[in-house]
Amino acid sequence: MNTTSSNGSSHRSGSIAVIGRPNVGKSTLVNALVGAKVSIVSNRPQTTRHRLLGIATFAEGQIALVDTPGLHRQQGKFSASAMSRVMNRTARGALEGVNAGLLVVEAGRWDDEDSTAYKVLHDTGIPVVLCVNKIDRLRDKGELLPYLAKATDGREFTAVHPISALKRNGLDILVKELLQLLPLAPPMFGEDEITDRSERFLAGELLREQLMRLLGAELPYATTAEIERFAEDGQLLRIGAVIWVERESQKAIVIGKGGARLKEIGSKSRIQMERLFGRKVFLETWVRVREGWSGDESALKAFGYGDG
Ligand code: GDP
Ligand code: MG
C-alpha cells in the first residue's frame, strides 16, 4: 500500500480489524461508523458468524473495518462445536494485512476472554486501540476512571476511547484517532460502497438476524439461512430463502402456530432488506431439515461459513 499519497493530499485509507469477545458491540460499532446496517446485531453471543468489511468513508479518509465473530474460549456445549472452531479461525484470520486493531470491551467488565482477545491482537504487533463500549450503561460514571486504569494496566494501547456505539457517543474522536493510524493513500472503495459483501449475502444475514432475535433458547444456534433465489424484477427484488434447522421438532418451532412465527420472521426480515437495499422486496421462506449441519464442517462450508 502507498505510504505517500500520489497527489500530495492528506487522505488516509486502510483497514482495521474489530476484535473482542462475543456481544461487546463490535457489529453495532461497525454499523455506526459505516452509517448503515451492514452487520447484523442481536443480544445473543455469536450473532456474527462471518468476516465482513464495513466501509466507513469520511472527508479525511476511508476506513475498511473488518467485523469478526467474537473470539471466545472453546468450552461448553455450543463453544466446543465445529461452528465455534470455524468462527475463532475466522476472527484470527481477519488480522492478516490490517493496519491496526480495535479491541472492543464492555465498560465495567474485563474477563478472560477479553484478555485472550487482547493477546491475539497484541501478538500481531499492529497498533491496538482500546474501545470501551456501552458507557451509557454505567450507572455510576465515577466507575469509568478506575476501570480504564485497570484495563490498561500492564497492556499496551495506542489510544483508549470510552464510547457508546448504540448512542453514537465518542465516535467522532475515535474516527480521527483511527484515521491517524492509516497510511496516506487514496480511497480503496467508491464513496457509496458500504461493504465487500453482496446484497445476496446481506439478505441471508438479515434473515438470520431475525432468527437470532425471535427464536428462544438454543434454537438460533441450530438454524442458518440460505438464499436460493435473488432476482431483480424491475424495481422489485424477488428473494427466496431457506431456513435450515437440525430436527423436525425445530422446524415446527420456527414455523409456529398456524405459521405465525415464520410470518413474523419473514416480514421483519423483509422490512430490514427494503431499508438496506432501498427497494421493494418480495420474500418467500421455506424451513428445511438437515440433521447435524452445525457440527459438520463440510455442511458449514456449503452454507458459506469459514470463507473468510
Ligand atoms: P458483537 O457480538 O460484539 O458484534 O455485539 P453486537 O453488536 O451484536 O451487540 C450485542 C448487544 O449489545 C446488542 O444487543 C446491542 O444492541 C448491544 N449494544 C451494542 N453497543 C451498545 C452500547 O453502546 N450500549 C448499549 N447499551 N448496548 C449496546
Ligand atoms: Mg457481531
Side-chain angles (χ1 to χ4, degrees):
M1 192 176 287
N2 289 339
T3 48
T4 51
S5 114
S6 50
N7 60 6
S9 88
S10 58
H11 188 278
R12 290 180 184 270
S13 84
S15 57
I16 293 182
V18 184
I19 302 283
R21 70 173 163 76
N23 223 29
V24 289
K26 297 178 294 299
S27 299
T28 305
L29 176 60
V30 168
N31 292 339
L33 296 178
V34 170
K37 188 154 85 192
V38 290
S39 192
I40 63 170
V41 169
S42 89
N43 60 9
R44 289 169 185 282
Q46 318 298 12
T47 299
T48 305
R49 294 179 184 167
H50 303 271
R51 187 201 56 82
L52 171 150
L53 276 193
I55 302 160
T57 301
F58 308 94
E60 308 80 15
Q62 188 175 64
I63 313 173
L65 294 148
V66 190
D67 192 12
T68 61
L71 276 170
H72 53 280
R73 271 184 304 169
Q74 295 183 316
Q75 278 180 347
K77 189 164 164 267
F78 170 69
S79 297
S81 70
M83 172 76 86
S84 169
R85 277 199 303 279
V86 169
M87 288 195 303
N88 265 340
R89 233 184 278 146
T90 301
R92 286 169 193 264
L95 288 168
E96 274 165 40
V98 297
N99 300 100
L102 193 56
L103 176 66
V104 184
V105 298
E106 222 174 272
R109 202 178 141 180
W110 188 290
D111 62 27
D112 287 353
E113 289 187 323
D114 297 305
S115 296
T116 305
Y118 168 75
K119 195 170 176 319
V120 167
L121 270 176
H122 182 253
D123 286 352
T124 62
I126 53 175
V128 180
V129 173
L130 177 65
C131 230
V132 177
N133 191 28
K134 307 197 187 182
I135 53 165
D136 58 292
R137 286 228 304 232
L138 279 183
R139 262 165 285 132
D140 174 7
K141 301 291 172 213
E143 288 171 38
L144 189 59
L145 279 179
Y147 174 80
L148 294 179
K150 221 177 94 205
T152 54
D153 184 36
R155 301 190 179 99
E156 286 173 64
F157 295 109
T158 304
V160 178
H161 289 268
I163 63 156
S164 167
L166 194 68
K167 311 265 183 216
R168 296 166 190 264
N169 282 330
L171 300 188
D172 291 349
I173 173 161
L174 172 66
V175 164
K176 279 209 171 67
E177 180 81 47
L178 295 180
L179 284 168
Q180 289 314 306
L181 299 174
L182 303 181
L184 289 167
M188 295 183 290
F189 299 94
E191 231 175 277
D192 52 359
E193 280 182 79
I194 54 174
T195 177
D196 63 335
R197 294 290 192 157
S198 65
E199 287 189 332
R200 185 187 183 111
F201 171 87
L202 297 171
E205 288 291 278
L206 290 173
L207 175 55
R208 212 166 52 69
E209 179 176 60
Q210 296 307 324
L211 297 172
M212 297 297 292
R213 290 183 175 198
L214 298 175
L215 299 176
E218 296 287 299
L219 204 49
Y221 303 108
T223 59
T224 194
E226 185 180 33
I227 301 300
E228 278 201 329
R229 192 159 59 108
F230 192 97
E232 298 192 29
D233 181 356
Q235 280 304 298
L236 186 75
L237 273 178
R238 289 186 184 276
I239 301 175
V242 178
I243 297 166
W244 289 99
V245 295
E246 300 197 297
R247 288 194 294 275
E248 282 298 330
S249 59
Q250 296 169 338
K251 181 172 168 175
I253 297 171
V254 173
I255 292 171
K257 256 208 188 93
R261 187 170 283 119
L262 184 58
K263 202 169 158 197
E264 186 185 2
I265 290 167
S267 76
K268 289 198 161 141
S269 305
R270 178 182 51 76
I271 289 165
Q272 293 293 323
M273 291 175 194
E274 289 182 339
R275 184 172 298 162
L276 187 60
F277 304 148
R279 264 175 293 176
K280 279 258 165 252
V281 168
F282 178 74
L283 174 67
E284 279 182 293
T285 49
W286 294 270
V287 185
R288 287 188 200 140
V289 180
R290 175 158 173 176
E291 256 172 65
W293 71 264
S294 75
D296 171 355
E297 290 215 19
S298 65
L300 288 173
K301 202 154 181 239
F303 288 142
Y305 292 105
D307 59 346

